[in-house]
């Protein structure tokens, strides 16, 4: 389980660090990184609300990153 947490953190850290601009992917990855301790209970709606994006926007993120 710790390995999965590390992999998740590394994955979203990579997205945040490799964003050339602060786009939707950056803000969603940043939100997840900042809330990594609650990853087991975070819903996609929580992410959308925390990033001030609409449901379709978070759906696009989900499709792009297979989250």
């Amino acid at each position: 389980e710790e390995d999965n947490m590390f992999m998740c953190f590394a994955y979203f850290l990579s997205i945040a660090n490799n964003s050339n601009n602060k786009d939707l992917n950056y803000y969603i990855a940043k939100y997840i990184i900042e809330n990594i301790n609650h990853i087991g209970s975070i819903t996609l709606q929580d992410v959308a609300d925390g990033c001030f994006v609409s449901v379709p926007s978070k759906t696009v993120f989900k499709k792009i990153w297979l989250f």
Side-chain angles (χ1 to χ4, degrees):
E1 188 171 304
E2 287 183 23
D3 288 340
N4 290 339
M5 177 77 78
F6 176 77
M7 293 293 289
C8 182
F9 180 76
Y11 179 74
F12 289 108
L13 190 60
S14 174
I15 293 169
N17 286 338
N18 291 316
S19 292
N20 291 331
N21 55 4
K22 293 186 177 174
D23 61 4
L24 176 62
N25 294 336
Y26 169 83
Y27 287 108
I28 292 174
K30 185 174 181 272
Y31 176 86
I32 293 171
I33 290 166
E34 290 173 351
N35 293 281
I36 197 76
N37 290 331
H38 307 287
I39 197 70
S41 62
I42 294 174
T43 66
L44 288 176
Q45 188 63 54
D46 293 335
V47 175
D49 293 344
C51 296
F52 306 103
V53 297
S54 65
V55 172
S57 296
K58 70 176 176 151
T59 302
V60 170
F61 181 85
K62 181 180 174 183
K63 288 179 182 176
I64 291 171
W65 300 107
L66 302 174
F67 175 65

